[in-house]
Amino acid sequence: MPNRQRITLQEDLTIYHALEQKGRLLDALNQADEVELDLSQVSEMDTAGLQLLILLKREAQKAGKQAIIVAHSQAVRSVIDFCNLAAYLGDPLVIPAQEAH
Amino acid sequence: MDELTSVFVQESREQLADMEAGLLRLEQDPQDADNINAIFRAAHTIKGASGVIECGFIESFTHKVENILDKLRNGEITVSGNLATLLLECCDHMGHLIDVLEAGQPAPSPEVTAQAEALGVRLDAQLAAASGTEVQQGADAGSVPVEHESPVEVSGGGVVITDGWLISVRFGPNVLRGGMDPLSFLRYLSSLGEILGIETLPDAMPEAEDMDPESCYLGFEIHFQTRASKADIERVFDFVQDECELRILPPNSKLSEYLKHIEELPEDTMRLGEILVRCGALTQAELDEALRLQHDSTCQHQEDSQGEDAHPQQLGEILVEQKVVQKALVDAAVGKQTQVSEKKAKESRMIRVQADKLDQLIDLVGELVIAGASTNLLANRSGQSDLVEATSILSRLVEDIRDSALQLRMVQIGETFNRFQRVVRDVAKELEKNIELQVSGGETELDKSVVEKIGDPLTHLVRNSMDHGIEAAEIRLARGKPAHGTLGLNAYHDSGSIVIEVSDDGGGLKKDRILAKAIEKGLVQSGHNLTDQEIVNLIFEPGFSTMEKVSNLSGRGVGMDVVRRNIMALRGSVEIDSRPGLGTTMRIRLPLTLAIIDGFLVGVDKGAYVIPLDTVVECIELKDQPDSRHYLNLRGEVLPFVRLREAFNIEGDIPPRENVVVVQYAGQKAGIVVDQLMGEFQTVIKPLGNLFKHLKGIGGSTILGSGEVALILDVQALIQRCASADELRMRNSNRLLGATNLN
């Protein structure tokens, strides 16, 4: 039974919180085999935030663990979409009908 | 306001000034394509930067202006007087918007917004007028890239069939810490055109422990379609140009260039190739071709250099050897790139320094001068010749430092003058007169603080000359003058002051009307005989205006006295030289600097006084002079003089030998009689307190090396005093004569 940890980020994924969030995410990854990251509360994401997501994914892959991003907020989705990283991150994205084009 | 915004405000103002100057030139020469491009670039830069700082209201308004300029640039619409006026108004409005941003308001006030809408409607009208015939062209333009490269004759593979740009950017680690978000640059980039494909490259990100979440490690490969030029794309990244590595390949570049691009980037060659294929910049076939080419040329080269200690040569070197790269690169971006790089080089020669830092330096130099003077004094007293020599070297250096420090504050007046192109244009339109502005002496330098304060008085004088001075065209023709009037702005240095002249070729001041008005206003009594100079000076009296019809511009009579007061506050003076029928020249005379001057130290009784050295002509001995007379014979010239002892009511015995310091100011000469001459002295001017504001004849104070205070004489006031005292005596004697006659 792999132990699983769920993190819900309350703050925005921006440079202002990047330092603490990095620690938090990597700690979680160290302690658990599977990390589930809930981004539904994130209303803003900048490059620093994006880097953290990439870092989390990469580290998880290296350690043979799972890092899954769930419930992308609209802001997160648009950044990932803009940077064409959906495939790299590999999480299922829910695209609401009115946004699909 | 954060740093980025303040940089934006400052730079946008400069761009606006360029844009305005360009628009004014545009009216003169509508065909000048370089000029139109410069205007467009200025507007575009403002729009770009406002996008980066996320200031929506500036961005959206500037976007509309840019659309019009774009049409203008493409020759789809032509320049008309209306359009130029409209664009100038837009320019002003952008200035207002920047004010709003600078004031820290989140959005412009309703009036400003309404103004923007009104301008927007007019812009749309211009656009609509133009677009009727241009639909076809507009539809095509979207897909046509701006730069085509001529077919390549050198080896290096075929041309890559794609009409998109390849933009490759690697952001430096400090970008995020500098408060800039790479994503916002890319978002702004997408407003220039269409991002066909984008790949994010996180390869530069180090191991988890070493990864600093506040550093930026990302890079992007972007396949981009746009009508914008390379310079425009580069400008998107202007704010981070030092912090990022930016490569731009124009559409239809040669395969070799892509190859070189791949080689030069830090990421693995194969991976990068794939990335380019993925974002659509290259096709798989093209990539294979490029890699084969690379392989071939490497092998071939190794064969060529058999026997020698051959090592595989880097592809980049090969390409350089084959002259492929230089040629291609030069061809790709010739004109624009050089233009951009020249501009950059020019910018890097200038340093922006905050004005208060400079003021602090000047203050310190001032203290240094005082301290130096005191050291000098002590050294002289000690009588040690080594020490005296050392201090004299020191004081020479201090003098040099003082001069260079003051030089830092000096700016050319030309920029101020050029602002008047716009004022003259607008006022001339309003008055329906045809007036040309002639500027000369723009390279004359003066203190920055003076320049800042002289703008308003100068504006008033210019408006006044245009309104009252220059006559309507019919009258001018009737008087045998050319129909268009000429307004001159001139500046030059003259004995320690700077002189700024505002001249017109109008009708001159009407002395009889001025006098009549002054009598009507009760400024002078009728029957007084005033000299011409006194009459023209009446226009500086508060509440004076001869204009029957109050116009929009001047004529309310609140101006000229304020002008004079402002100029006096700068320790300057203003005089009028008016010739009936020929024109008027207003001459503003200002001190060069407000902080430190070369002084001439004189003594009366125990007190020391400083006369500004620039005004001193010569010193002579006062001999055999009866006490009552206040003039002397200076080589056949009558020289009025003032005894400082009498002027300041100084007690004490008159020494057997007195000296006269001959001073000159504004063309007038006078003598100042003092006890002793003590020589030159560097003077740091310390202003007198408010209490002594009304004191006539003293301009300030300074501290001597000995720590004593010396008063700085206001030469201008003393000369006036001389002159008026003379006149008074003349009048008295006339009256006496008259009285005798009656008897």
Side-chain angles (χ1 to χ4, degrees):
Chain A
M1 177 72 198
N3 82 49
R4 181 172 206 176
Q5 194 162 355
R6 187 183 172 93
I7 305 174
T8 307
L9 284 186
Q10 302 292 345
E11 320 90 0
D12 292 342
L13 263 169
T14 58
I15 178 99
Y16 304 107
H17 308 291
L19 199 58
E20 43 175 300
Q21 281 168 346
K22 177 197 170 195
R24 207 173 143 200
L25 294 177
L26 290 180
D27 283 351
L29 195 64
N30 280 335
Q31 288 159 16
D33 296 329
E34 215 175 294
V35 176
E36 203 175 78
L37 189 59
D38 182 343
L39 296 181
S40 57
Q41 305 298 312
V42 175
S43 60
E44 206 188 328
M45 177 158 107
D46 65 4
T47 313
L50 184 67
Q51 287 191 143
L52 282 183
L53 295 187
I54 296 172
L55 181 77
L56 179 69
K57 282 281 176 183
R58 199 183 68 185
E59 292 307 306
Q61 204 182 8
K62 263 191 213 163
K65 297 178 178 179
Q66 286 272 342
I68 305 160
I69 303 170
V70 295
H72 305 72
S73 70
Q74 212 270 323
V76 174
R77 202 165 49 234
S78 79
V79 171
I80 291 178
D81 203 29
F82 183 83
C83 294
N84 199 11
L85 281 173
Y88 179 87
L89 295 174
D91 298 297
L93 280 170
V94 182
I95 300 173
Q98 68 269 22
E99 274 185 48
H101 36 246
Chain B
M1 194 164 58
D2 60 43
E3 198 181 336
L4 193 60
T5 313
S6 70
V7 169
F8 168 75
V9 166
Q10 194 178 10
E11 292 190 346
S12 300
R13 286 206 196 289
E14 283 168 18
Q15 295 287 354
L16 266 186
D18 287 351
M19 192 172 152
E20 188 178 304
L23 286 169
L24 290 169
R25 267 202 306 280
L26 188 66
E27 276 194 312
Q28 313 295 325
D29 183 7
Q31 303 304 328
D32 186 351
D34 283 349
N35 186 24
I36 296 177
N37 277 331
I39 299 169
F40 179 82
R41 273 201 301 277
H44 185 77
T45 308
I46 295 174
K47 186 186 108 174
S50 60
V52 169
I53 63 157
E54 290 172 350
C55 180
F57 55 89
I58 295 183
E59 190 182 3
S60 60
F61 182 77
T62 314
H63 182 70
K64 288 182 195 156
V65 178
E66 195 189 337
N67 281 346
I68 277 275
L69 289 172
D70 193 31
K71 296 254 187 244
L72 203 60
R73 190 170 66 152
N74 297 340
E76 293 170 31
I77 48 178
T78 50
V79 182
S80 64
N82 279 343
L83 182 63
T85 310
L86 176 62
L87 286 172
L88 279 170
E89 281 174 39
C90 290
C91 222
D92 290 346
H93 186 72
M94 281 155 71
H96 293 321
L97 292 178
I98 294 172
D99 289 342
V100 170
L101 179 71
E102 195 176 16
Q105 294 158 1
S109 65
E111 300 98 78
V112 178
T113 317
Q115 202 187 346
E117 276 163 17
L119 285 171
V121 169
R122 287 167 62 194
L123 283 172
D124 287 344
Q126 291 278 357
L127 265 183
S131 61
T133 55
E134 300 300 335
V135 175
Q136 184 58 41
Q137 199 176 334
D140 286 346
S143 58
V144 177
V146 169
E147 285 187 30
H148 291 277
E149 193 161 337
S150 52
V152 188
E153 64 280 10
V154 271
S155 70
V159 171
V160 173
I161 312 299
T162 163
D163 55 359
W165 296 73
L166 176 66
I167 301 170
S168 161
V169 56
R170 302 286 178 276
F171 289 97
N174 290 322
V175 171
L176 288 172
R177 261 180 239 113
M180 286 169 284
D181 185 359
L183 285 176
S184 45
F185 291 102
L186 299 183
R187 285 212 186 88
Y188 173 60
L189 180 71
S190 63
S191 75
L192 280 187
E194 193 188 347
I195 294 183
L196 299 174
I198 186 169
E199 284 295 321
T200 308
L201 302 178
D203 300 39
M205 204 187 293
E207 292 301 306
E209 305 87 65
D210 302 330
M211 186 266 189
D212 177 358
E214 291 178 356
S215 290
C216 181
Y217 302 104
L218 295 186
F220 297 89
E221 294 288 323
I222 304 156
H223 185 208
F224 188 60
Q225 191 176 58
T226 180
R227 299 181 63 201
S229 66
K230 183 168 183 183
D232 290 334
I233 296 176
E234 277 179 342
R235 203 163 297 127
V236 172
F237 299 95
D238 254 3
F239 272 94
V240 282
Q241 60 177 357
D242 300 333
E243 294 277 357
C244 78
E245 209 180 314
L246 180 68
R247 282 162 219 273
I248 301 172
L249 287 186
N252 303 331
S253 291
K254 287 193 305 289
L255 202 52
S256 62
E257 280 181 68
Y258 281 91
L259 199 54
K260 176 170 181 286
H261 173 72
I262 293 171
E263 279 286 312
E264 282 176 356
L265 286 172
E267 287 87 5
D268 176 61
T269 309
M270 280 314 284
R271 169 157 157 63
L272 202 74
E274 282 164 27
I275 285 168
L276 293 183
V277 171
R278 249 194 290 159
C279 75
L282 286 175
T283 63
Q284 185 63 47
E286 283 164 348
L287 177 66
D288 292 345
E289 161 81 14
L291 292 176
R292 192 185 55 74
L293 193 78
Q294 179 188 21
H295 183 71
D296 283 359
S297 54
T298 316
C299 293
Q300 195 182 358
H301 188 81
Q302 276 171 337
E303 282 163 25
D304 287 351
S305 52
Q306 262 176 351
E308 293 164 37
D309 49 339
H311 59 94
Q313 207 172 354
Q314 290 295 309
L315 182 81
E317 291 174 36
I318 299 172
L319 291 174
V320 170
E321 251 176 38
Q322 292 176 344
K323 311 270 186 228
V324 178
V325 177
Q326 277 112 331
K327 173 107 180 78
L329 284 182
V330 170
D331 280 351
V334 175
K336 285 197 171 110
Q337 240 174 357
T338 45
Q339 214 171 11
V340 169
S341 60
E342 268 168 21
K343 186 166 172 263
K344 297 258 164 67
K346 201 170 156 195
E347 271 170 6
S348 61
R349 279 204 296 272
M350 307 282 277
I351 307 175
R352 284 182 204 284
V353 181
Q354 282 186 332
D356 43 354
K357 279 190 189 164
L358 212 54
D359 289 344
Q360 202 187 353
L361 177 69
I362 304 274
D363 276 356
L364 281 176
V365 171
E367 296 301 324
L368 190 64
V369 168
I370 292 175
S374 128
T375 319
N376 238 346
L377 194 81
L378 290 176
N380 280 332
R381 246 185 237 161
S382 75
Q384 297 178 33
S385 58
D386 300 1
L387 186 60
V388 172
E389 199 172 320
T391 50
S392 77
I393 293 173
L394 195 65
S395 53
R396 204 189 67 228
L397 289 174
V398 167
E399 220 167 286
D400 289 351
I401 291 178
R402 177 201 69 173
D403 287 346
S404 350
L406 287 178
Q407 200 64 40
L408 289 180
R409 287 176 57 99
M410 292 300 211
V411 290
Q412 296 196 346
I413 199 168
E415 205 175 310
T416 312
F417 277 0
N418 287 337
R419 284 210 326 247
F420 284 97
Q421 296 283 6
R422 176 76 190 280
V423 174
V424 169
R425 175 194 177 276
D426 286 358
V427 174
K429 282 230 156 136
E430 208 166 314
L431 294 169
E432 292 169 2
K433 288 177 183 172
N434 190 353
I435 298 172
E436 191 190 336
L437 177 66
Q438 280 179 353
V439 170
S440 52
E443 69 290 340
T444 313
E445 290 189 323
L446 78 166
D447 197 279
K448 190 173 182 333
S449 55
V450 180
V451 166
E452 279 161 9
K453 287 176 187 144
I454 200 63
D456 283 350
L458 213 52
T459 310
H460 199 92
L461 289 181
V462 165
R463 284 169 164 248
N464 207 66
S465 286
M466 294 176 70
D467 198 7
H468 300 312
I470 294 174
E471 318 93 322
E474 315 76 87
I475 305 179
R476 292 182 63 88
L477 288 174
R479 287 182 183 168
K481 297 191 214 178
H484 72 270
T486 308
L487 187 87
L489 281 173
N490 184 25
Y492 54 92
H493 283 160
D494 176 40
S495 60
S497 343
I498 178 170
V499 179
I500 304 171
E501 287 181 346
V502 180
S503 55
D504 63 62
D505 63 347
L509 292 171
K510 295 166 195 72
K511 298 196 176 87
D512 45 340
R513 257 171 64 195
I514 293 173
L515 191 59
K517 190 82 177 182
I519 292 170
E520 182 195 317
K521 294 252 176 191
L523 295 172
V524 286
Q525 302 298 313
S526 56
H528 262 202
N529 278 331
L530 297 176
T531 64
D532 284 357
Q533 199 56 42
E534 280 171 321
I535 294 174
V536 293
N537 280 335
L538 283 172
I539 68 166
F540 290 118
E541 293 300 319
F544 185 90
S545 173
T546 59
M547 204 64 178
E548 279 84 14
K549 186 183 72 178
V550 172
S551 76
N552 227 349
L553 305 167
S554 47
R556 289 183 215 281
V558 288
M560 294 304 264
D561 61 314
V562 178
V563 169
R564 185 166 67 165
R565 216 168 44 230
N566 284 346
I567 292 170
M568 302 266 270
L570 294 171
R571 293 197 289 123
S573 64
V574 54
E575 62 188 69
I576 301 175
D577 180 7
S578 171
R579 283 181 214 149
L582 291 177
T584 311
T585 302
M586 310 262 182
R587 211 165 276 131
I588 302 174
R589 198 173 276 273
L590 292 167
L592 270 185
T593 169
L594 301 175
I596 305 178
I597 55 168
D598 274 318
F600 186 70
L601 200 60
V602 297
V604 178
D605 199 33
K606 288 189 187 68
Y609 300 87
V610 176
I611 302 171
L613 191 62
D614 299 318
T615 61
V616 175
V617 182
E618 60 181 320
C619 301
I620 49 176
E621 198 180 334
L622 186 69
K623 278 187 295 197
D624 315 321
Q625 189 71 24
D627 266 357
S628 56
R629 257 172 56 190
H630 280 80
Y631 51 91
L632 58 84
N633 181 349
L634 178 69
R635 294 186 290 275
E637 224 180 298
V638 178
L639 184 78
F641 62 78
V642 59
R643 286 172 195 275
L644 219 50
R645 187 177 290 275
E646 285 171 18
F648 294 157
N649 280 330
I650 301 167
E651 309 274 311
D653 297 326
I654 300 175
R657 227 184 84 174
E658 286 179 296
N659 290 289
V660 183
V661 181
V662 180
V663 293
Q664 181 168 24
Y665 189 85
Q668 269 184 307
K669 266 190 196 173
I672 298 174
V673 180
V674 298
D675 292 358
Q676 290 162 284
L677 304 175
M678 294 169 354
E680 283 178 37
F681 175 69
Q682 282 191 74
T683 312
V684 182
I685 299 180
K686 306 266 175 192
L688 288 173
N690 256 342
L691 193 59
F692 303 109
K693 205 166 57 182
H694 302 291
L695 215 56
K696 282 268 167 78
I698 292 183
S701 63
T702 188
I703 300 169
L704 300 180
S706 58
E708 285 169 59
V709 171
L711 296 173
I712 300 167
L713 299 181
D714 181 351
V715 169
Q716 184 200 2
L718 282 173
I719 287 184
Q720 268 171 10
R721 192 185 175 125
C722 260
S724 57
D726 260 7
E727 248 168 67
L728 201 67
R729 263 195 308 281
M730 296 274 277
R731 237 174 251 168
N732 282 343
S733 51
N734 280 348
R735 212 169 286 159
L736 280 177
L737 278 178
T740 8
N741 284 350
L742 277 179
N743 287 341

